[in-house]
Amino acid sequence: MRLERVAAQVPPGARLADIGSDHGYLPVALLRRGAIAVAVAGEVAATPFQAALRTVRENGLEPWITVRLANGLGAIEPGDGITAVSLCGMGGETIRDILDSGKARLNGRERLILQPNGGEQPLRQWLMDHGYRILFEEVLHENRFHYEIIVAERLGPVTYTAHELYFGPLQLQARSPAFISKWQRVLHLRQQTLAQFARSRQGVPEHKRHDVAQQVRWISELLA
Ligand SMILES: C[S@@+](CC[C@H](N)C(=O)[O-])C[C@H]1O[C@@H](n2cnc3c(N)ncnc32)[C@H](O)[C@@H]1O
């Protein structure tokens, strides 16, 4: 379900770079459906790299999917003509760091399809700081977990408020049932953290307490 929702955001006929591809399921599924033209599957670790090679070979897709052992966007080569980049199933900070350290590999016209597991706020901050507008966002609820999908393109300067960076500008407007249930859960967790801080014998740094208290306030206002 999670990767299906990601797949739905890949433009038809794209030349896709799937970074952190692991088993390579996303590019293989898209190619088998004829939904994309070609793909690069990038992996930094040897075992998932071998798994991706195997999936591609077993599906006879070697002419269309290149599997590369590389760190982050280092898997993309200028001649690939990549039009979409997916980074899925990693923390938002990791995705941000991969984008930041590899930004010289981007031509600025690629669609970014991101599926962070937490750390969405710093990822949105990076997108804003680099002129990426968020075109689509979704929260999905699967197997007791909430997943976010963020699609962005570099369309020029854009400004998001602190609230929008925290909750997601489009999700704040749409307020889907999955979005509400995610924030109900986060509120519960943050309230538990505040209670732990109150019980803690070692003093909790004031900025930490303030940060969590502000999150509780924002989420409570959202859900009110
Ligand atoms: C949890 S898996 C997600 C796999 C797949 N993208 C998905 O969403 O199902 C994360 C993968 O990212 C890879 N990865 C982590 N950091 C990476 C980096 N800097 N460059 C390339 N791959 C990376 C890991 O080796 C791992 O296979």
Side-chain angles (χ1 to χ4, degrees):
M1 173 67 156
R2 179 180 62 84
L3 286 179
E4 273 300 345
R5 301 302 302 155
V6 169
Q9 294 305 317
V10 179
R15 301 176 69 89
L16 176 72
D18 184 41
I19 306 300
S21 197
D22 197 350
H23 31 62
Y25 289 159
L26 180 65
V28 166
L30 285 166
L31 248 148
R32 282 177 55 129
R33 293 171 191 174
I36 56 173
V38 292
V40 171
E43 248 307 326
V44 76
T47 306
F49 166 70
Q50 293 296 341
L53 276 179
R54 196 167 49 247
T55 315
V56 170
R57 197 181 330 110
E58 284 172 1
N59 284 276
L61 292 173
E62 293 102 320
W64 298 280
I65 304 181
T66 308
V67 183
R68 295 197 182 118
L69 184 62
N71 188 3
L73 303 187
I76 300 175
E77 292 178 3
D80 294 333
I82 294 300
T83 60
V85 178
S86 51
L87 286 140
C88 304
M90 290 174 254
E93 283 101 342
T94 302
I95 295 178
R96 176 201 59 194
D97 293 346
I98 290 175
L99 289 170
D100 198 57
S101 58
K103 54 184 184 285
R105 299 258 172 176
L106 297 173
N107 62 31
R109 293 185 297 279
E110 307 89 348
R111 166 174 290 211
L112 304 183
I113 302 136
L114 313 172
Q115 190 276 296
N117 294 337
E120 291 84 8
Q121 182 187 29
L123 179 57
R124 286 192 197 96
Q125 180 77 52
W126 187 92
L127 292 171
M128 179 176 90
D129 293 345
H130 292 81
Y132 281 87
R133 182 177 292 272
I134 296 173
L135 303 177
F136 174 86
E137 285 182 310
E138 182 174 9
V139 178
L140 41 124
H141 193 189
E142 184 180 48
N143 300 334
R144 298 189 299 115
F145 291 104
H146 290 94
Y147 299 101
E148 293 216 13
I149 297 172
I150 301 173
V151 178
E153 285 181 20
R154 206 164 90 190
L155 298 173
V158 57
T159 306
Y160 296 120
T161 64
H163 266 92
E164 288 174 325
L165 292 173
Y166 186 65
F167 292 110
L170 304 181
Q171 291 175 66
L172 256 183
Q173 288 169 17
R175 296 182 187 230
S176 67
F179 171 76
I180 297 297
S181 92
K182 169 187 166 146
W183 289 105
Q184 283 169 336
R185 184 175 153 70
V186 178
L187 178 61
H188 180 66
L189 294 172
R190 296 294 177 271
Q191 283 169 332
Q192 280 183 333
T193 305
L194 268 191
Q196 276 164 10
F197 284 175
R199 284 195 302 270
S200 165
R201 283 164 202 272
Q202 301 99 352
V204 174
E206 181 50 28
H207 73 272
K208 261 193 169 177
R209 210 198 55 76
H210 179 267
D211 176 48
V212 179
Q214 175 170 285
Q215 291 186 46
V216 166
R217 222 171 21 251
W218 281 8
I219 305 169
S220 304
E221 284 163 11
L222 172 90
L223 297 175

Coordinates of all heavy atoms in Angstrom, one line a residue, residues 7 75 100 113 122 182 191 199:
A7 N 4.1 5.0 -5.9 CA 4.1 4.8 -7.3 C 3.2 5.7 -8.0 O 3.4 6.1 -9.1 CB 3.8 3.3 -7.6
A75 N 24.4 7.9 -7.1 CA 23.9 6.9 -8.1 C 23.5 7.5 -9.4 O 23.3 6.8 -10.4 CB 22.8 6.1 -7.5
D100 N 20.8 17.2 0.4 CA 21.7 18.3 0.5 C 23.1 18.0 0.0 O 23.7 18.7 -0.7 CB 21.7 18.7 2.0 CG 22.3 20.1 2.1 OD1 21.7 21.0 1.5 OD2 23.3 20.3 2.8
I113 N 9.9 12.6 -5.0 CA 8.8 11.8 -4.4 C 9.4 11.2 -3.1 O 10.3 10.3 -3.2 CB 8.3 10.8 -5.4 CG1 7.8 11.4 -6.7 CG2 7.1 10.0 -4.7 CD1 8.2 10.7 -7.9
P122 N 12.0 19.0 9.3 CA 13.3 19.4 8.8 C 13.4 19.1 7.3 O 14.1 19.9 6.5 CB 14.4 18.6 9.5 CG 13.6 17.5 10.3 CD 12.2 18.0 10.4
K182 N -3.0 10.5 12.9 CA -1.6 10.6 13.1 C -1.3 11.6 14.3 O -0.6 11.3 15.2 CB -0.8 11.1 11.9 CG 0.6 11.5 12.2 CD 1.3 12.1 11.1 CE 2.6 12.7 11.7 NZ 3.8 12.7 10.8
Q191 N 2.5 14.2 25.1 CA 2.0 14.5 26.4 C 2.7 13.5 27.4 O 3.1 13.9 28.5 CB 0.5 14.2 26.5 CG -0.3 15.4 25.9 CD -1.7 15.2 25.7 OE1 -2.1 14.0 25.5 NE2 -2.6 16.2 25.7
R199 N 8.5 14.4 35.9 CA 9.0 13.5 36.9 C 10.5 13.4 37.0 O 11.0 12.8 38.0 CB 8.4 12.1 36.6 CG 6.9 11.9 36.9 CD 6.5 10.4 36.9 NE 6.8 9.8 35.6 CZ 6.0 9.7 34.6 NH1 4.8 10.2 34.7 NH2 6.3 9.1 33.5

